[in-house]
Amino acid sequence: MSKKSRSRGGGGASGDDHEDLARPPPLQAVLLADSFTLKFRPITLERPKVLLPLVHMPMIEYTLTWLESAGVDEAFVFCCAHSHQVKEYLDKSGWAGKAGAGSMSVTAVESHDAISAGDALRVIYERGVIHGDFVLISGDTISNMSLKDALQEHMDRKKKDPLAVMTMILKHSKPSILTHQTRLGNDEIVMAIDPETKELLYYEDRADTSHLYVTIDKDILTNNSTLQLHNDMEDCYIDICSPEVLSLFTDNFDYQHLRRHFVKGLLVDDIMGYKLYTHELRSGYAARIDNFRSYDTVSKDVIQRWTYPMVPDVISNRDCSESRLHRQGIYKASDVTLSHSAQIGASSVVGSATSIGDHCKVLNSVIGEGCKIGKNVLINGSYVWDNVIIEDGCKVSNSLVCDGVHLKAGAIVEPGCVLSFNVEVGKNVVVPAHSKVSLLPQPSNEDSDEELEYADTNSGVTESTPFSSMRSNGDQATVPSEEDESGTSKIGTCGVVGYIWTSGDTGILEEWRQSIAPIPKEKLEELQHAVSEDDGSEDESNNPTLPDKDDSSDIAVEDDDPFSKFEKEVEETFQRALGGGVNRDNLILEINGLRLAYSLQHADCAGAVFYSVMKSALVAAQSTNDTLLKTTAEALGKWKDLLRNYTKTIDEEMEILLKFEEMCQETTKEFSPLFSEILPILYDKDVVSEDAIMRWAEEKEHADESDKVFVKQSEAFIQWLKEAEEEDDEEE
């Protein structure tokens, strides 16, 4: 038996007893390999969600790699839906049975009776495998955060208060004022948190966004002199739990959903007195892939290396060639066959043994392994998995194409589509936006997203509708559909081979909310118009008022600097535009919506947008000043029109210069030695005018020496501007 095995065994005959007592217990984790939702259907009828590829690697690979790097000793993977596939992957990938110093042991816990996360935790309790505090995480969570601080906070609280049973990891992510969703496509969550103790006091993940207020029990306000009310936090679904959490699930069979039942249940339970706490993630990355929009967002974050070291060139499929990182965030395997006339755009990944034909364009997309892409193909903002065949002249836009799909010549896949495994699309057929197609019929027991993903696919089918709006690429006739014995419509081999899934009660009109496709410009304009109307027609009589202070309730609601929050939101929106998640035409609409939400001025947008553009150049640069200068020039050239939209006046141009000074002195000091070289670029790109630069220099004349650093650094360029102006005056 190895040393590591003995330490986990709870004390063998050999070894020093005092040493064993001093040694901390192994850190354990419970990984839920079933999401217990239906959001990734029809794909998850054939493959469990945790095994779906995220930039070529199964989601669970990221989660397990992070747990091991975070110091977890033992991980128990609970699997229900397609459990044999999960267990097979754990064996094949080498996670199962892993042992040795520094390694994390991984054990599968299988059950076919669980229909919820609550049931899963009850099974874990019954198996008796958890012996202390543990990390609870979903297998679709991607992170590179350090657990050290959060674990220490949890342990320290437990020493002071045994009723502190859980610490939830949160991160800042304010939802859009237009859509009331975060960048991951999740609805906004409203939380009340004690700013001193970080105790969670209120949690609502189904807030009514049609009203601009929430209703909180008066006891929360009475019992807490100070609280922070947040709608700007994302729940990472990473929890540090005491063993009592498992007992609570076992004692309360009503607890099914982790948040909706368990968290809310404990918050209103006055008898037991258990407490929940939060830890805000301030550095590092953590996000759960809950829907197709978050799949798109997190994929782009991985490609742009926010998840490092969980990136394609560091962790890769053991059976295939490793991806290499090239300029502009392009990853390619060494054995890719690429035509000289083909174009691979920025932030794209191409997998092993894939061939790409003449005059193809792959933009902001991930192409899997063993794919064959013909000539004159356009793939934009899409995810093409393994062994896909795309014939000449096809176009795929902002869609997901699973393994084995075959697109015949001239086929067009419009934005937001999901083509499940082995679907075939006929020659010149147009697949309408937001369509979902599968070789499996749609089960009839799809009542809500709280239903179990693990379901009997033979339990009945709904009458899936054909492409009534399907048309052909060109003026060819619409392809007829066939019907099978069950009455389910199935498109014939000359059109699309597969069942066409319906979109539920909301229909295709609401598909944009959680789609891979960017939000349509028309929808953003509609939402912005609604916000503007609400803003203009607000009447105090229609809004609830805060309670007056009295002797029994002295409430202070704290808030952070609104401009800092606005700047962060602009940066997050800009990052999504970089990755293709926000259409450039829609970017200004979203930023303007944020400006309205924060009641800020046009000049505030100028500084925030400039900051985001410069940060993107800094991330793209490697290490040298020459590289940073080059990436800065490229970024300013690429986004100059966006910047000009917010620099209509001298004051707004001045805001750019002042913001640049602040960045060089505080947040991005890497730009400091390059200030005098970047200033002429701003001038050449018409981001700031000569008048703005001269006024900026004049205002610095009587400033302290510490405020003149960058003016002095730029003296040669400022002098050149003066002389050029004098020459122009003389000619006149």
Side-chain angles (χ1 to χ4, degrees):
M1 184 181 291
S2 69
K3 291 180 181 178
K4 191 168 185 180
S5 300
R6 285 201 299 271
S7 70
R8 285 180 179 146
S14 61
D16 193 313
D17 290 341
H18 295 289
E19 216 174 272
D20 288 340
L21 289 171
R23 185 181 296 117
L27 178 59
Q28 297 178 299
V30 173
L31 186 155
L32 300 179
D34 201 317
S35 62
F36 301 104
T37 66
L38 305 174
K39 294 179 182 178
F40 274 78
R41 282 194 173 185
I43 300 172
T44 48
L45 281 180
E46 301 180 64
R47 187 183 295 179
K49 181 181 172 186
V50 296
L51 295 187
L52 301 184
L54 183 83
V55 196
H56 294 177
M57 294 301 301
M59 296 182 194
I60 196 173
E61 183 72 21
Y62 291 89
T63 313
L64 289 170
T65 301
W66 172 70
L67 286 173
E68 186 173 54
S69 69
V72 171
D73 297 294
E74 297 177 298
F76 296 92
V77 178
F78 180 87
C79 45
C80 182
H82 308 292
S83 58
H84 64 286
Q85 292 188 39
V86 177
K87 291 167 67 179
E88 183 181 343
Y89 176 79
L90 294 176
D91 288 334
K92 185 179 178 182
S93 61
W95 283 108
K98 207 173 180 182
S103 297
M104 177 178 70
S105 70
V106 177
T107 305
V109 177
E110 185 178 8
S111 172
H112 294 289
D113 299 323
I115 61 169
S116 68
D119 285 345
L121 293 180
R122 283 184 275 273
V123 170
I124 293 291
Y125 178 80
E126 290 168 4
R127 301 289 172 90
V129 294
I130 299 298
H131 309 298
D133 294 274
F134 64 97
V135 179
L136 177 61
I137 189 170
S138 175
D140 49 15
T141 300
I142 314 300
S143 180
N144 62 5
M145 68 171 285
S146 169
L147 270 179
K148 183 179 178 182
D149 291 342
L151 273 170
Q152 192 61 53
E153 287 176 12
H154 177 79
M155 297 302 181
D156 291 345
R157 286 194 196 100
K158 275 190 62 181
K159 291 176 182 177
K160 298 176 183 177
D161 186 357
L163 296 176
V165 294
M166 180 187 280
T167 300
M168 300 163 52
I169 309 298
L170 310 174
K171 70 173 182 178
H172 182 274
S173 182
K174 186 174 175 63
S176 165
I177 187 65
L178 300 181
T179 64
H180 297 287
Q181 288 185 314
T182 67
R183 62 190 293 266
L184 296 176
N186 300 321
D187 292 334
E188 64 182 299
I189 299 172
V190 179
M191 286 181 269
I193 298 172
D194 186 313
E196 295 297 325
T197 66
K198 304 303 178 185
E199 182 181 355
L200 182 67
L201 306 171
Y202 175 85
Y203 185 99
E204 180 54 67
D205 60 348
R206 288 184 165 181
D208 183 0
T209 56
S210 62
H211 300 90
L212 299 179
Y213 61 88
V214 293
T215 303
I216 298 179
D217 192 300
K218 63 181 181 181
D219 288 342
I220 295 177
L221 302 177
T222 302
N223 298 331
N224 299 275
S225 60
T226 306
L227 61 84
Q228 288 179 327
L229 192 61
H230 291 275
N231 75 331
D232 59 353
M233 290 292 183
E234 185 89 49
D235 190 341
C236 300
Y237 274 80
I238 301 174
D239 303 321
I240 302 170
C241 306
S242 300
E244 288 83 359
V245 168
L246 298 177
S247 302
L248 287 167
F249 273 97
T250 302
D251 294 340
N252 296 272
F253 279 84
D254 290 338
Y255 289 164
Q256 301 292 336
H257 193 282
L258 283 174
R259 298 298 188 250
R260 213 160 291 147
H261 299 147
F262 176 70
V263 168
K264 289 184 179 180
L266 289 193
L267 290 176
V268 298
D269 186 352
D270 296 328
I271 300 174
M272 302 299 290
Y274 288 111
K275 298 175 184 177
L276 307 172
Y277 289 86
T278 63
H279 173 84
E280 184 179 351
L281 177 60
R282 297 188 180 275
S283 64
Y285 184 92
R288 186 186 180 197
I289 301 169
D290 185 56
N291 53 63
F292 286 115
R293 186 173 297 283
S294 54
Y295 178 89
D296 175 58
T297 302
V298 176
S299 295
K300 288 177 168 57
D301 289 345
V302 170
I303 294 169
Q304 293 169 14
R305 306 180 78 78
W306 294 105
T307 60
Y308 188 87
M310 265 61 92
V311 293
D313 56 323
V314 177
I315 62 169
S316 59
N317 194 319
R318 297 167 176 81
D319 299 328
C320 298
S321 300
E322 292 185 0
S323 294
R324 291 186 58 191
L325 174 61
H326 301 264
R327 291 185 58 191
Q328 297 185 311
I330 298 171
Y331 298 84
K332 283 192 304 181
S334 58
D335 58 351
V336 168
T337 303
L338 182 65
S339 167
H340 292 297
S341 59
Q343 176 188 344
I344 307 297
S347 301
S348 295
V349 184
V350 184
S352 175
T354 286
S355 62
I356 301 177
D358 297 340
H359 306 292
C360 288
K361 288 186 178 180
V362 176
L363 310 173
N364 292 306
S365 297
V366 177
I367 310 297
E369 298 166 355
C371 296
K372 299 185 185 302
I373 299 172
K375 302 175 183 177
N376 299 303
V377 172
L378 173 61
I379 302 174
N380 184 25
S382 296
Y383 301 90
V384 178
W385 292 357
D386 297 343
N387 303 310
V388 172
I389 299 174
I390 302 179
E391 296 183 7
D392 298 351
C394 291
K395 181 179 179 181
V396 183
S397 302
N398 301 107
S399 293
L400 194 154
V401 180
C402 295
D403 295 357
V405 169
H406 187 171
L407 304 183
K408 296 190 176 179
I412 294 178
V413 181
E414 293 188 336
C417 290
V418 176
L419 305 183
S420 195
F421 301 99
N422 301 309
V423 164
E424 290 186 20
V425 178
K427 186 176 182 180
N428 292 323
V429 169
V430 178
V431 184
H434 301 292
S435 298
K436 292 181 180 179
V437 190
S438 173
L439 293 185
L440 297 178
Q442 186 170 6
S444 58
N445 57 344
E446 273 192 306
D447 295 328
S448 75
D449 282 335
E450 293 177 38
E451 295 280 345
L452 171 66
E453 187 129 80
Y454 174 74
D456 181 2
T457 58
N458 298 316
S459 59
V461 295
T462 58
E463 291 193 2
S464 305
T465 57
F467 281 141
S468 58
S469 60
M470 187 177 67
R471 58 193 186 279
S472 56
N473 181 17
D475 295 323
Q476 300 180 20
T478 303
V479 179
S481 64
E482 301 172 354
E483 287 195 355
D484 63 12
E485 294 178 358
S486 67
T488 305
S489 297
K490 184 176 181 181
I491 301 305
T493 54
C494 55
V496 175
V497 177
Y499 294 95
I500 317 306
W501 285 42
T502 59
S503 301
D505 294 336
T506 57
I508 211 161
L509 295 176
E510 292 296 305
E511 285 291 323
W512 60 270
R513 286 192 170 274
Q514 295 185 334
S515 170
I516 287 174
I519 300 173
K521 183 177 181 181
E522 298 75 18
K523 174 57 66 175
L524 282 174
E525 289 175 341
E526 176 189 327
L527 294 170
Q528 186 174 18
H529 180 69
V531 169
S532 299
E533 279 191 340
D534 290 342
D535 188 54
S537 60
E538 268 188 349
D539 188 278
E540 290 184 4
S541 62
N542 294 330
N543 294 323
T545 56
L546 291 173
D548 294 331
K549 288 186 178 181
D550 55 36
D551 295 336
S552 63
S553 179
D554 182 16
I555 306 300
V557 179
E558 295 188 356
D559 197 8
D560 297 325
D561 174 26
F563 182 76
S564 297
K565 290 185 175 182
F566 168 73
E567 193 173 66
K568 187 173 180 63
E569 285 298 301
V570 170
E571 184 182 359
E572 290 179 356
T573 303
F574 182 78
Q575 286 296 333
R576 284 187 284 131
L578 278 178
V582 177
N583 188 288
R584 280 204 201 184
D585 295 335
N586 298 340
L587 183 56
I588 293 174
L589 285 172
E590 289 215 20
I591 293 173
N592 288 344
L594 290 170
R595 180 177 65 83
L596 287 171
Y598 285 95
S599 302
L600 296 173
Q601 303 300 315
H602 216 248
D604 296 318
C605 290
V609 172
F610 176 74
Y611 175 80
S612 299
V613 171
M614 297 297 281
K615 278 291 291 290
S616 72
L618 185 60
V619 170
Q622 300 298 321
S623 57
T624 65
N625 284 348
D626 289 343
T627 306
L628 181 55
L629 188 62
K630 185 176 181 179
T631 58
T632 300
E634 290 172 352
L636 290 172
K638 181 178 180 180
W639 298 101
K640 60 185 178 183
D641 291 337
L642 175 66
L643 288 164
R644 286 174 189 162
N645 188 73
Y646 296 103
T647 54
K648 306 290 188 185
T649 67
I650 298 295
D651 287 338
E652 288 163 356
E653 292 176 6
M654 284 280 290
E655 184 65 29
I656 295 276
L657 295 171
L658 295 173
K659 185 65 181 179
F660 192 23
E661 278 191 299
E662 176 190 311
M663 290 171 63
C664 291
Q665 291 172 330
E666 298 176 11
T667 56
T668 52
K669 295 181 180 180
E670 295 89 342
F671 287 113
S672 183
L674 299 175
F675 188 98
S676 60
E677 296 180 71
I678 294 174
L679 185 60
I681 298 175
L682 292 171
Y683 174 73
D684 291 338
K685 303 295 184 186
D686 293 330
V687 175
V688 294
S689 64
E690 177 184 337
D691 290 341
I693 295 172
M694 300 307 295
R695 180 174 154 188
W696 166 70
E698 289 169 5
E699 290 187 359
K700 296 288 183 180
E701 285 180 3
H702 303 292
D704 295 335
E705 288 301 314
S706 59
D707 289 334
K708 295 180 180 179
V709 173
F710 298 110
V711 170
K712 289 185 175 181
Q713 191 184 121
S714 308
E715 276 180 344
F717 178 66
I718 294 170
Q719 185 60 36
W720 178 82
L721 287 177
K722 288 180 179 178
E723 291 173 358
E725 184 179 15
E726 289 171 1
E727 288 177 7
D728 290 341
D729 291 341
E730 288 175 3
E731 288 177 4
E732 291 178 3

